[in-house]
Amino acid sequence: LRWFLGRPKNLPPGPWGFPLIGSVLAIGREIRRGVEPHDLFMRYAAKYGPVFRLKIFNKTVVVLNDYSSVKEAFQHPQLQDRPKMLLTKVLKSDGVSIASGQPWLELRRFSLTVLRSFGVGKTSFEEKIGTEAEELMKEMSAFSGKPFDPKPLLGNAVSNVICNVVFGKRYEYTDEQFNKLLSLLGRNFKLLGAGAAVNFFPALRYLPFVSIDEIIANFEEIRMFITTIIDNHRANFDADDVKDFTDSFLMEIKRNEAKDASGVKHGLLSEGNLVGTVTALFAAGSETTATTLQWTLLYMAVYPEIQQRVQAEIDAVVGRNRLPRMADKPELNFTRAVIWEVQRLSLIVPLGVAHAAAADTQFRGFLIPKDTLLVPNLWAVTHDPKVWPEPDQFKPERFLNDKGEAVQAEELIPFSVGRRSCIGEHLAKMELFIFFSFFLHQFTFKKPDNSPPLSLKGRGGLNYSPFNFEICVISRE
Ligand code: HEM
C-alpha cells in the first residue's frame, strides 16, 4: 500500500529511481562498466550523506557508509534480522547466519557456547591451528622455491581448522573431493556478487543476464557433502562421547525431543538448522580467513622491506629455535599492525552481510520501514579519509603509537560490529596471527622472476579477493 501511496517523507535521502524498478538500471550500468558496488556507494554517500536510501524494485535498501552509522544501526535490537532470501527457500534449510528473530538468537547463543566448549577462542586452541600451519608449511616447502598458486593449499589448511571443530576431522591436501568442494565454495562467494542481488530480489532471476542456477547447483553439492557427514555422525552417535560441534547439535536436538515428550516446550534447534548452521560455519570459516591470508602473502611479496621488518621483529622476540606462540603476540607490535593494515586495505567482505528491519524503526530521525535491507559499506568505513589519512596507501605504521606499540583502531571492522557481528572473530584472529607469524618465521615470499608485477587490485563478489597469482616461497634456513 505504501508503495502505491508514494514513499513516506522521512526516509533517508537517495538517488531518484524509476517507478517499479527503482535504481536497478543505473546501478547495473555502473557495475557492467567495472565499478565495484562499494565504490559506487561511496560516491552516492558523498552526495547524499553517510546514510542513504536506494529503491530496488519495490524494496527499500538503506546503505550505511561510516563507522558511527554502522555501529549505531547494528546495535539496534530491531535491525538484526536477515532479509528473506531466495537461497534459503531453494536450499530448504535455515542456519545461524541466515535465521532471524528468536530462532537466530537461540542458534547464535548455542553455536557460540559449543564452539567455546571445544576450545575456540581460548589460548589452548593455538596448538590445533599450529599443527595445521606446520602441515601447510611442509607442503609449501615441497615447491622448493618454484612458483605456485597458494590459494588451494591455504583454503584446505584453514578449512581443516574449522572442520576439526565442526566435524572432528581434517582432510589431506591431496583429497580431490574436498578440494572440489572448496573450489565450489570459492566460486559461489564470487558468483554471489551478482547473485546476491538475485538472492534478495528474486525477480531478477528472470532477466537474461543473471543466472543463479550455478549458485544453487554448487550449494546443493556442498549440502550433499555436509548431509553425508551429519548422517555418519547420527549413525555413530554416542551421548557419552560428544566429539564435535555436529555431535553437540544432535545431542541438543535429542534433549529437545525428550523435553517434548514430558510436555515441556520444544526448543528451536532442529535438523533443518543443523545442516544450515554446519554449512554456515564451514562456509564462513573457510573462504574468509583463507582469502585474508592470500592477501597477506601478496602484500609481503610486493613490499619486501616491510616483510623484512616483520621477520626481524619475529626473530628478535621469538628467536630462531622455536615457532611463534600466542604468548608472543603482545610483543609482536609491527607484525600485528601489518595484519590489521592488510585487513583494512583489502577488506574482504566489502558490503558486509545485509541485515533487515524486523519492524518500522526510527533511526537518526529517519524511518527505516519493516523489511528494509540494511547494507553496511564496511569498505567505506575502513577507507574513510577522515579516519585513515591516505586511505589507499599500505602503511602499517598507522597502527603504532609513539612508543611503537600496536594500538587497535575501533573503526577497523572487517568482522562487522554489534549484536550480529562475526561469531568466528576470535578464531579468525588467532588463525591469522599463527599462520602469518609461522610463515614469516620460516619463509620469505617473492614474486616469481620474469613474471609481471603482482597486482594488489582485487575483484568483488561476496568477498573481495586477489586475482589468481603465483608466488615463490623461499625457506629462511
Ligand atoms: C558473519 C567477516 C571468519 C563464522 C560475518 C559477518 C562478517 C564476517 C562481515 C557479517 C556480520 C553481520 O551480519 O553484521 C568475517 C571475516 C573473517 C571471518 C573477515 C575472517 C577473516 C569467520 C570464521 C567463522 C565465521 C573463522 C567460523 C566460526 C561466521 C558466522 C557468521 C559470520 C556463523 C554469521 C553470524 C550471524 O549471522 O549471527 N563474518 N568472518 N566467520 N561469520 Fe565471519
Side-chain angles (χ1 to χ4, degrees):
L1 182 69
R2 184 182 273 147
W3 191 57
F4 281 108
L5 295 175
R7 69 181 181 89
K9 288 278 176 300
N10 59 339
L11 288 178
W16 178 86
F18 285 104
L20 296 176
I21 58 167
S23 298
V24 171
L25 293 180
I27 294 177
R29 192 179 52 232
E30 293 295 321
I31 290 175
R32 273 201 303 282
R33 279 168 48 189
V35 178
E36 291 283 350
H38 54 261
D39 286 328
L40 178 64
F41 292 167
M42 281 171 86
R43 257 199 264 151
Y44 285 151
K47 190 162 176 196
Y48 300 104
V51 178
F52 70 81
R53 164 208 42 93
L54 293 168
K55 197 84 178 168
I56 308 280
F57 295 117
N58 60 339
K59 279 214 174 112
T60 306
V61 179
V62 169
V63 187
L64 309 158
N65 290 276
D66 65 359
Y67 174 65
S68 74
S69 61
V70 177
K71 186 179 171 201
E72 199 180 324
F74 282 10
Q75 282 299 353
H76 199 297
Q78 279 175 200
L79 303 179
Q80 304 302 330
D81 276 7
R82 288 279 188 234
K84 292 182 187 62
M85 292 182 238
L86 182 68
L87 279 179
T88 323
K89 230 193 279 139
V90 175
L91 296 178
K92 296 180 236 37
S93 66
D94 222 338
V96 62
S97 56
I98 46 182
S100 293
Q102 194 57 30
W104 162 66
L105 262 180
E106 192 159 322
L107 277 168
R108 185 172 167 104
R109 218 173 282 142
F110 176 80
S111 302
L112 279 165
T113 309
V114 175
L115 287 177
R116 245 192 116 62
S117 75
F118 286 107
V120 174
K122 298 186 191 155
T123 310
S124 57
F125 200 72
E126 74 173 298
E127 218 178 289
K128 287 207 169 101
I129 302 174
T131 308
E132 192 61 52
E134 286 188 66
E135 287 296 321
L136 171 63
M137 291 195 302
K138 271 190 228 150
E139 295 289 321
M140 289 172 144
S141 297
F143 286 92
S144 313
K146 295 200 187 67
F148 69 99
D149 174 1
K151 185 178 165 168
L153 285 178
L154 289 172
N156 199 328
V158 165
S159 196
N160 273 343
V161 174
I162 191 76
C163 285
N164 195 311
V165 183
V166 177
F167 306 139
K169 67 178 291 190
R170 67 179 290 275
Y171 295 85
E172 291 301 330
Y173 299 137
T174 46
D175 188 320
E176 280 182 22
Q177 199 204 358
F178 191 62
N179 274 311
K180 177 166 180 233
L181 196 80
L182 291 177
S183 70
L184 290 179
L185 190 65
R187 175 104 182 110
N188 264 9
F189 265 75
K190 277 283 140 289
L191 289 173
L192 273 170
V198 185
N199 200 11
F200 299 129
F201 310 105
L204 281 177
R205 190 182 186 177
Y206 302 105
L207 297 183
F209 56 88
V210 203
S211 160
I212 198 170
D213 297 341
E214 186 188 343
I215 302 179
I216 292 170
N218 291 349
F219 267 131
E220 272 300 344
E221 206 162 321
I222 296 167
R223 196 163 67 111
M224 293 274 289
F225 176 86
I226 285 171
T227 310
T228 311
I229 298 177
I230 292 176
D231 287 345
N232 284 337
H233 275 69
R234 200 180 289 107
N236 299 310
F237 182 75
D238 176 358
D240 295 324
D241 185 18
V242 171
K243 291 183 282 297
D244 51 37
F245 186 92
T246 307
D247 273 351
S248 303
F249 210 112
L250 287 168
M251 179 85 166
E252 190 62 22
I253 293 172
K254 282 186 195 304
R255 221 180 264 147
N256 287 339
E257 284 165 0
K259 272 189 201 165
D260 246 4
S262 61
V264 182
K265 191 174 166 289
H266 198 293
L268 289 165
L269 300 192
S270 68
E271 293 275 339
N273 40 48
L274 165 57
V275 180
T277 298
V278 166
T279 310
L281 291 175
F282 171 69
S286 301
E287 188 68 20
T288 47
T289 316
T291 305
T292 311
L293 284 174
Q294 265 184 279
W295 279 119
T296 60
L297 303 195
L298 258 182
Y299 276 94
M300 291 306 93
V302 173
Y303 292 95
E305 65 294 349
I306 289 186
Q307 172 162 238
Q308 272 167 23
R309 214 175 135 187
V310 175
Q311 288 169 329
E313 181 182 72
I314 295 177
D315 288 355
V317 172
V318 176
R320 299 300 304 153
N321 297 328
R322 65 166 177 89
L323 286 162
R325 293 198 272 263
M326 286 306 285
D328 301 318
K329 197 174 167 185
E331 283 179 80
L332 292 172
N333 290 296
F334 190 66
T335 308
R336 280 150 68 207
V338 167
I339 298 174
W340 286 336
E341 181 68 346
V342 171
Q343 285 199 282
R344 182 194 70 77
L345 199 46
S346 296
L347 190 112
I348 58 153
V349 198
L351 294 178
V353 182
H355 288 207
D360 282 1
T361 305
Q362 285 299 324
F363 175 71
R364 298 191 160 188
F366 299 124
L367 170 71
I368 310 280
K370 180 175 172 354
D371 293 334
T372 296
L373 253 73
L374 288 124
V375 173
N377 190 350
L378 302 182
W379 184 280
V381 174
T382 63
H383 289 74
D384 183 346
K386 292 200 279 304
V387 180
W388 318 97
E390 297 184 285
D392 299 325
Q393 299 296 312
F394 183 60
K395 293 205 310 194
E397 305 79 24
R398 66 172 88 240
F399 289 102
L400 301 178
N401 66 13
D402 295 347
K403 292 187 222 139
E405 295 157 348
V407 184
Q408 169 110 53
E410 208 188 326
E411 297 87 351
L412 180 66
I413 51 167
F415 302 96
S416 190
V417 275
R419 294 166 188 245
R420 196 155 194 167
S421 68
C422 175
I423 67 174
E425 180 169 348
H426 289 301
L427 173 60
K429 283 179 173 166
M430 194 183 261
E431 288 186 86
L432 292 178
F433 174 75
I434 299 225
F435 277 101
F436 183 68
S437 64
F438 274 32
F439 288 165
L440 290 215
H441 188 266
Q442 292 293 307
F443 300 135
T444 298
F445 295 93
K446 277 181 63 182
K447 176 185 96 57
D449 291 338
N450 309 321
S451 73
L454 293 170
S455 166
L456 292 174
K457 195 173 155 32
R459 63 198 157 129
L462 185 62
N463 67 342
Y464 183 77
S465 58
F467 287 92
N468 289 348
F469 65 95
E470 292 204 325
I471 203 158
C472 298
V473 174
I474 315 293
S475 172
R476 294 185 63 207
E477 295 310 330

